[in-house]
């Protein structure tokens, strides 16, 4: 891995994480969240779907409450209590005005200085193909950050009492092949592992391919940490609205 520059997150005080599925934040992002909440930052999660199509052995109607319950526990383990599910269909999320509007509404509601999302490029680092929901949601997040600050886009939001918010200074995308920065998550590593472990039934449903959280995150965040000169780090693509 090439050398990464440490991202200066000293200003981060209000973070809105918007991802496609329960567990998406737990592959490194939650460790950063644990660092931020430990120093007093307010963090909220918005999940586009409920991950109801993610367990092969469970029909969506049974998987939905299980995955929402596991995500609540995962949030609690890194100091997050503000969690919302948008109800878009797992596996078939499309980039759309409805998706942009829903995310822009959450940005206006929470009024963050930093917005976090997952990798939305066509591939993951290393060339593996990304999943369609991740691409659609991540692209919509980037556009919704701008939409949230424009009074004349989605005017119904103003009518609903959600005034424009253009105060998001940064969008951080975890898991991007274009990442040139890293967030030091050494202090939040253990909590990040615990957050992924909260998805116990989901991980069990993956069978033999399921990762062991401590091993997988230790390897991934340790490798990134060495590239950034710290013990553990998560790579991020930094976008400025």
């Amino acid at each position: 891995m090439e050398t990464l520059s440490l991202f200066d997150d000293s200003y981060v005080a209000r973070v809105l994480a918007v991802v496609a599925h329960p567990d998406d934040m737990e592959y490194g992002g939650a460790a950063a969240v644990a660092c931020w909440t430990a120093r007093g930052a307010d963090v909220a999660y918005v999940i586009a779907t409920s991950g109801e199509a993610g367990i092969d052995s469970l029909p969506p109607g049974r998987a939905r409450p299980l995955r929402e319950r596991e995500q609540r526990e995962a949030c609690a383990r890194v100091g997050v209590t503000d969690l919302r599910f948008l109800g878009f269909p797992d596996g078939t999320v499309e980039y759309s005005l409805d998706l942009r509007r829903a995310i822009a509404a959450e940005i206006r509601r929470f009024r963050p200085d930093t917005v976090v999302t997952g990798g939305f490029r066509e591939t993951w680092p290393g060339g593996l193909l990304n999943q369609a929901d991740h691409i659609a949601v991540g692209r919509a997040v980037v556009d919704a950050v701008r939409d949230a600050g424009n009074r004349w886009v989605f005017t119904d939001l103003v009518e609903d009492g959600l005034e424009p918010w253009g105060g998001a200074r940064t969008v951080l995308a975890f898991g991007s092949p274009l990442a040139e920065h890293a967030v030091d998550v050494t202090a939040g590593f253990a909590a990040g592992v615990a957050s992924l472990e909260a998805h116990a039934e989901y991980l069990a449903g993956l069978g033999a391919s399921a990762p062991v959280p401590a091993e997988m995150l230790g390897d991934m965040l340790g490798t990134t940490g060495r590239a950034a000169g710290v013990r553990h780090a998560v790579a991020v693509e930094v976008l400025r609205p």
Side-chain angles (χ1 to χ4, degrees), residues 160-181:
D160 291 340
L162 295 172
E163 289 294 324
W165 176 251
R169 294 175 52 179
T170 312
V171 178
L172 301 179
F174 296 111
S176 170
L178 302 183
E180 296 181 347
H181 293 79

Side-chain angles (χ1 to χ4, degrees), residues 69-138:
R69 183 173 65 252
E70 289 190 334
Q71 185 60 59
R72 291 188 186 94
E73 177 59 26
C75 285
R77 294 183 183 188
V78 292
V80 174
T81 58
D82 189 338
L83 167 64
R84 297 193 178 201
F85 296 94
L86 297 182
F88 287 87
D90 185 19
T92 57
V93 179
E94 294 182 303
Y95 177 91
S96 65
L97 291 178
D98 284 345
L99 182 60
R100 279 171 52 188
R101 179 187 290 106
I103 297 171
E106 293 300 323
I107 294 170
R108 291 188 183 191
R109 174 186 69 85
F110 190 72
R111 306 177 87 76
D113 55 56
T114 304
V115 176
V116 168
T117 191
F120 57 89
R121 305 298 180 180
E122 295 295 322
T123 64
W124 297 113
L128 291 175
L129 286 175
N130 201 348
Q131 195 259 5
D133 287 357
H134 301 149
I135 296 170
V137 171

Side-chain angles (χ1 to χ4, degrees), residues 47-68:
I47 316 292
T49 78
S50 293
E52 66 273 10
I55 301 177
D56 185 68
S57 61
L58 285 181
R62 290 177 58 195
R64 179 179 291 106
L66 182 156
R67 300 215 63 198
E68 290 183 356

Side-chain angles (χ1 to χ4, degrees), residues 217-232:
L217 291 176
D219 180 63
M220 181 173 69
L221 303 185
T223 298
T224 304
R226 287 189 291 275
V230 296
R231 185 173 181 183
H232 293 110

